[in-house]
Amino acid sequence: MDKRQAILDAAFEVFARCGYGQACVKEVAEVAGVAKPTVYNHLHDKETLFRHAVTAAAEGIAERTISALDALRDPAGDLRETLGQVTRELAASCCDERAQALRRLTYGETAQFPDVLESVHARTALDLREVLADRLARLVVAGRLRPCEPGEAAGHLLALITGPLDARSRMGTRAVPPAEVERVAESAADVWWRAYGAPAGPAARWGS
Amino acid sequence: MDKRQAILDAAFEVFARCGYGQACVKEVAEVAGVAKPTVYNHLHDKETLFRHAVTAAAEGIAERTISALDALRDPAGDLRETLGQVTRELAASCCDERAQALRRLTYGETAQFPDVLESVHARTALDLREVLADRLARLVVAGRLRPCEPGEAAGHLLALITGPLDARSRMGTRAVPPAEVERVAESAADVWWRAYGAPAGPAARWGS
DNA sequence: ACTAAATTGAACCCATGAGTTCAAGTTGGT
DNA sequence: ACCAACTTGAACTCATGGGTTCAATTTAGT
């Protein structure tokens, strides 16, 4: 029963539902099951309330999303199969309600909170991209992927997943049926694999 | 000197700069060079002001973006070359300040204006995708692209362009140097072409 | 049990900004 | 020139909501 955490959770929920401008602190307090002065006791401002709530939520979301990449660490069997699995997991976490709300909030409140956009983006996008790039680099070195710039390849895979999904879900406004999420993920993996997968045949032998 | 248009332009500028919640009608009036009651005379509400300003801006932006696809209508020379050119143009219009502001606004104000998000998305994303899909379908039929689902292929190309650019520009917060925009566009075209381009050789001969 | 800190609810203050009113002035068509 | 419609600025109303105050109460550590 950490009140502070309850407040931060409630704040994220309310901000996500109403946007920063329309959200009112009283409602945050009610959702948190706490009195209004208690909110101000922990977080001095509405602004700091927003900042802390959003960055805390971003931390959790980033952690879970990045953990989807674990399967690419030392992939034993068919690489294409592992890629498909990872892609499906990334697609699923991209459709997560909190993740979508987080994107809406940070994008929308850019005018007032450019720094929040910056730090959230660093944690949820750049870090994700870097970790994925690390995995891809190992696979390139091992000759299991075509030679490429790993960061670029990582960006492309993520774009192929999130782009079509954001388009279909209208930034989280519409629910995308799980079957379609899978289809989108599969076709993203397909396209990426055609561009970056090692051609069939024994081993690495693509010269200069 | 159409006052109404001046008001709509000013409104988009102010909303883009401050967000809906923080924007005030007085400032819109000042930017438009008009008195406050005149604003209310043309657009009854702050809400309708927002709706009209945003959808009007979306119309203009969508039109210009879609016109970038004209080069794919009956492409004479090297298709890969034309693809590169179109991709560069799409990348440029994706980095346009107004376009980015439009995305920030619609995404951010989703909570209050889900219908605006819907209509803007329909015009700027779905229409673009459909027109591009039309072009691609013709090219597939002509044997100049690998057989594929045109809508899906269109979505992939757009994702490969906008995804990396949004990541680099932080939703329009950071200026991306034109040289890097070109690089991103070029690599997007590369990847897409590897997945969807017709393999070298005389003509279409990929069986079932 | 005792004390210090945290919590509560309720009332309160106050800045902000949406939207209105109105009398005076401007525009534009005939 | 004339009239109707539109525009203007300034003052005004009013609802909303951020933030504070405070006395009463609960909680938690010892």
Side-chain angles (χ1 to χ4, degrees):
Chain A
M1 59 163 55
D2 187 2
K3 304 242 177 193
R4 186 188 169 91
Q5 194 54 46
I7 291 170
L8 289 178
D9 287 346
F12 183 77
E13 181 191 323
V14 174
F15 283 134
R17 175 155 28 90
C18 313
Y20 179 80
Q22 306 301 313
C24 72
V25 179
K26 188 184 166 194
E27 191 180 351
V28 171
E30 282 165 4
V31 171
V34 139
K36 193 164 63 141
T38 306
V39 174
Y40 285 100
N41 195 25
H42 286 272
L43 290 311
H44 293 173
D45 266 327
K46 190 186 181 186
E47 273 198 29
T48 61
L49 177 59
F50 180 81
R51 265 179 240 277
H52 283 80
V54 169
T55 54
E59 182 52 41
I61 288 166
E63 204 173 334
R64 261 184 309 157
T65 308
I66 289 178
S67 76
L69 302 179
D70 281 349
L72 277 180
R73 206 189 272 280
D74 188 28
D78 182 21
L79 181 54
R80 175 63 183 79
E81 185 49 45
T82 308
L83 175 69
Q85 177 200 329
V86 167
T87 305
R88 280 191 296 273
E89 267 183 65
L90 285 175
S93 51
C94 165
C95 287
D96 174 59
E97 201 184 332
R98 284 174 63 89
Q100 284 167 327
L102 178 67
R103 283 205 299 276
R104 256 179 286 139
L105 269 183
T106 50
Y107 290 166
E109 253 47 75
T110 294
Q112 274 192 278
F113 303 98
D115 54 318
V116 172
L117 170 64
E118 190 60 35
S119 73
V120 168
H121 190 268
R123 189 75 184 96
T124 61
L126 299 188
D127 284 3
L128 178 65
R129 197 183 106 121
E130 275 318 292
V131 171
L132 177 54
D134 287 346
R135 305 277 171 277
L136 298 182
R138 302 294 286 260
L139 293 166
V140 167
V141 170
R144 304 181 70 179
L145 285 178
R146 213 175 279 214
C148 62
E149 212 289 291
E152 204 174 77
H156 286 154
L157 180 58
L158 295 175
L160 286 169
I161 297 168
T162 58
L165 281 179
D166 276 353
R168 272 169 188 70
S169 77
R170 312 289 144 87
M171 211 64 190
T173 321
R174 264 167 206 220
V176 181
E180 197 172 355
V181 175
E182 290 242 339
R183 263 199 45 246
V184 168
E186 206 53 58
S187 92
D190 268 346
V191 166
W192 191 87
W193 184 253
R194 264 184 270 160
Y196 289 106
R205 45 160 173 54
W206 35 65
S208 61
Chain B
M1 65 162 53
D2 187 3
K3 305 245 178 190
R4 186 187 168 92
Q5 194 54 46
I7 292 170
L8 290 178
D9 287 346
F12 182 77
E13 181 191 322
V14 173
F15 283 134
R17 176 154 29 90
C18 314
Y20 179 80
Q22 306 301 313
C24 72
V25 179
K26 188 185 167 194
E27 190 180 353
V28 172
E30 284 166 2
V31 171
V34 140
K36 194 163 63 144
T38 306
V39 174
Y40 284 101
N41 194 26
H42 286 272
L43 290 311
H44 292 176
D45 265 328
K46 191 186 181 185
E47 272 198 30
T48 62
L49 177 59
F50 180 81
R51 265 180 241 275
H52 283 80
V54 169
T55 54
E59 182 51 41
I61 288 166
E63 204 174 331
R64 262 182 311 154
T65 307
I66 289 177
S67 77
L69 302 180
D70 281 348
L72 278 179
R73 207 189 272 281
D74 189 27
D78 182 22
L79 181 54
R80 175 64 182 78
E81 185 50 44
T82 307
L83 174 69
Q85 178 200 330
V86 168
T87 305
R88 279 190 298 272
E89 267 183 66
L90 285 175
S93 51
C94 165
C95 288
D96 175 60
E97 202 183 332
R98 284 173 63 89
Q100 284 168 328
L102 178 67
R103 285 206 297 278
R104 257 178 285 139
L105 269 182
T106 50
Y107 290 166
E109 255 46 75
T110 295
Q112 273 192 279
F113 303 98
D115 54 319
V116 172
L117 170 64
E118 190 60 36
S119 73
V120 168
H121 191 268
R123 189 75 184 95
T124 61
L126 299 188
D127 284 3
L128 178 66
R129 197 183 106 122
E130 276 317 295
V131 172
L132 177 55
D134 287 347
R135 304 280 170 275
L136 298 182
R138 303 294 285 262
L139 294 166
V140 168
V141 169
R144 304 180 69 181
L145 285 178
R146 214 177 277 215
C148 63
E149 211 289 289
E152 202 173 79
H156 285 154
L157 180 58
L158 295 175
L160 286 169
I161 296 168
T162 57
L165 281 179
D166 276 353
R168 271 167 189 71
S169 77
R170 312 290 145 87
M171 212 63 190
T173 319
R174 263 170 206 218
V176 181
E180 197 171 355
V181 174
E182 290 242 339
R183 264 201 43 245
V184 168
E186 206 51 57
S187 92
D190 267 345
V191 165
W192 191 87
W193 183 254
R194 264 184 269 162
Y196 290 106
R205 46 160 173 55
W206 35 64
S208 61

